[in-house]
Amino acid sequence: MPSPFTVAEDPWIPVRIRTDLAADERAELLRVLPAAEEGHRCLVGLHTLFTTAHLIADLDLDHPPVESVLRRMLAAITARVTGLDTGTGDDWLDERDDVLTTGHFTSKAVDAYFDEHAPRFCLHGTPRPFLQDPRLAEECTGVAPPGRLAMNRASGNNPVWGNHTPETMPLTMADAAGWLLAWHGYGPAGMGAVRTHAGRSTKSCKAGPYRCLISYFPHDPNSLFTTLIVSVPAPAAWPTNPGDDHAPWETDTLPDPLHPSAPAGLISLLTGRTSHATFLTPQEGHRQITGCRVAWGTATDLPTAIDPYVVNREKGGPLRADRTRAVFRDLDALLLKHRPGSKIAVRRPTVFDSIADLPPHTLATLRAHTEATASDLYKALATAWHALNPRRKDDERAAFTTPAITRFYALAEPEF
């Protein structure tokens, strides 16, 4: 019998390896991920993602809803393994700077975290499988085919648009893990499996908390480690409701679908908010999913909470996504802490409030790369000018180099 699939240890998250590894980093990559190559895509589990985050350029997922929920989850685990889940004010900012200076996650802290919660990261074969509610085995009628879990497949009586995979085709464990995340945050409103819980029986589901929203995350395209650290919101953005601040895999308590709890802190805010409940049916003796139960996870609207990765309105909650509205129209809402609106004022995502407090070498990375490229261009142009004009004075070369550098910055500005 194969061992249970675990999202901590088994590969399922697509990442892209950096292209500028030093010699010692190449040796480390070869030791930890022998099949990985610089600049190429590979799959990792959560544990390896954190131990090698300094070798990884970025995530490389195919489905934005999966990536959006995963980035929130990674930010929560980052806070746990670095100690950034505690602290206040300047002390917290100083601690974040110290972590960034280290340049990598501490293996001891990462190992300890995933060892402590190892059984809860299993997708099946344990009493509390990852991001699932085992009560559905008794509370739901019937098992839906795998196509119900995979949002890019047609299921039931829905028409086939782009994906012709039969709804009964088993899902790999790696794919199932990703779609679990999507349902956790982006499950649609509508009909699910009939679930009977504490006398309430219905198949009506509410929309997931991130559905119809656009999430914005701080991002260093060349260092997943830096991205994860700066994605942790500062303490001012944490809720302070009563209760324990745990991720679903950190607690023995299953959520109460009749009385959903308000997030008590950073970790529950980033990982605990969901409107759906899911439970997977694995194929006996194989690492595949052959069925699933997807049902309502809350009978009422989720308690109000300010998500740190979305633009919020002064009245009316988060700014809703609109396919007719270009994203650049919200640029000022991302740059300004408060943007007065003609009708309703909006506020930038709270995760960006502490970006200005990052160390200069982290905050100015893109500008530094741009200026370094301009400097290389200038040297090349100056060398070419001298080769063509060996008898002319140095101060005369400005007529050749200055227009070129001006043109370079004009072309670089849109990319910047």
Side-chain angles (χ1 to χ4, degrees), residues 18-49:
R18 283 170 41 205
T19 59
D20 59 346
L21 297 179
D24 58 331
E25 291 176 324
R26 291 193 195 96
E28 182 182 0
L29 180 68
L30 181 63
R31 185 177 69 254
V32 180
L33 293 169
E37 299 180 39
E38 288 187 59
H40 286 241
R41 193 190 210 208
C42 68
L43 298 179
V44 297
L46 286 170
H47 195 165
T48 301
L49 183 147

Side-chain angles (χ1 to χ4, degrees), residues 325-347:
R325 182 180 176 86
V327 174
F328 81 86
R329 293 173 61 189
D330 294 317
L331 178 62
D332 53 349
L334 296 174
L335 297 176
L336 301 176
K337 189 170 185 179
H338 294 278
R339 184 194 71 181
S342 57
K343 295 182 179 178
I344 300 176
V346 297
R347 189 198 192 286

Side-chain angles (χ1 to χ4, degrees), residues 122-152:
C122 293
L123 278 192
H124 60 98
T126 62
R128 286 287 304 279
F130 179 71
L131 286 189
Q132 297 169 65
D133 192 331
R135 295 173 297 188
L136 298 192
E138 302 295 331
E139 296 179 352
C140 284
T141 58
V143 178
R148 174 61 171 158
L149 185 72
M151 290 183 173
N152 64 342

Side-chain angles (χ1 to χ4, degrees), residues 345-391:
V346 297
R347 189 198 192 286
R348 72 185 177 196
T350 55
V351 70
F352 293 115
D353 289 354
S354 61
I355 294 297
D357 296 306
L358 286 168
H361 70 274
T362 300
L363 190 62
T365 300
L366 181 57
R367 178 200 54 76
H369 282 312
T370 304
E371 293 185 354
T373 302
S375 177
D376 290 341
L377 175 62
Y378 176 83
K379 292 175 183 177
L381 291 171
T383 300
W385 184 86
H386 279 294
L388 294 172
N389 304 280
R391 298 175 180 238

Side-chain angles (χ1 to χ4, degrees), residues 71-349:
R71 286 191 182 274
R72 286 173 169 86
M73 187 173 76
L74 295 179
I77 297 177
T78 296
R80 285 289 199 234
V81 300
T82 58
L84 293 177
D85 56 344
T86 61
T88 57
D90 291 341
D91 290 341
W92 186 90
L93 294 173
D94 291 342
E95 181 66 25
R96 183 183 66 177
D97 291 350
D98 290 343
V99 174
L100 283 168
T101 300
T102 302
H104 58 82
F105 291 108
T106 304
S107 295
K108 184 178 180 180
V110 172
D111 294 346
Y113 183 83
F114 286 103
D115 288 346
E116 179 182 359
H117 304 293
R120 297 287 176 80
F121 287 115
C122 293
L123 278 192
H124 60 98
T126 62
R128 286 287 304 279
F130 179 71
L131 286 189
Q132 297 169 65
D133 192 331
R135 295 173 297 188
L136 298 192
E138 302 295 331
E139 296 179 352
C140 284
T141 58
V143 178
R148 174 61 171 158
L149 185 72
M151 290 183 173
N152 64 342
R153 291 191 196 176
S155 64
N157 294 321
N158 294 315
V160 176
W161 295 111
N163 189 325
H164 292 261
T165 305
E167 64 177 354
T168 56
M169 179 73 71
L171 274 173
T172 65
M173 291 289 181
D175 286 341
W179 291 123
L180 272 178
L181 298 185
W183 276 98
H184 190 73
Y186 286 87
M191 299 296 106
V194 176
R195 180 187 186 185
T196 302
H197 179 90
R200 186 180 193 273
S201 183
T202 182
K203 58 181 179 179
S204 178
C205 300
K206 294 184 176 294
Y210 313 129
R211 199 167 180 87
C212 297
L213 303 181
I214 299 177
S215 298
Y216 298 93
F217 297 89
H219 184 226
D220 181 344
N222 299 307
S223 171
L224 181 61
F225 170 76
T226 301
T227 293
L228 294 180
I229 299 301
V230 300
S231 293
V232 179
W238 305 352
T240 56
N241 299 304
D244 296 325
D245 185 34
H246 293 305
W249 56 87
E250 295 177 345
T251 178
D252 294 327
T253 305
L254 287 165
D256 182 352
L258 301 182
H259 305 93
S261 300
L266 174 65
I267 307 303
S268 52
L269 173 66
L270 299 186
T271 64
R273 304 185 74 230
T274 184
S275 298
H276 293 77
T278 53
F279 189 58
L280 304 182
T281 303
Q283 185 176 13
E284 191 70 29
H286 296 81
R287 287 187 146 201
Q288 292 183 321
I289 296 299
T290 56
C292 64
R293 295 172 173 87
V294 179
W296 57 278
T298 176
T300 64
D301 291 337
L302 295 175
T304 301
I306 297 177
D307 186 276
Y309 306 109
V310 302
V311 175
N312 281 280
R313 295 177 290 185
E314 190 176 79
K315 296 180 181 178
L319 189 66
R320 314 298 287 182
D322 183 347
R323 66 182 179 85
T324 66
R325 182 180 176 86
V327 174
F328 81 86
R329 293 173 61 189
D330 294 317
L331 178 62
D332 53 349
L334 296 174
L335 297 176
L336 301 176
K337 189 170 185 179
H338 294 278
R339 184 194 71 181
S342 57
K343 295 182 179 178
I344 300 176
V346 297
R347 189 198 192 286
R348 72 185 177 196

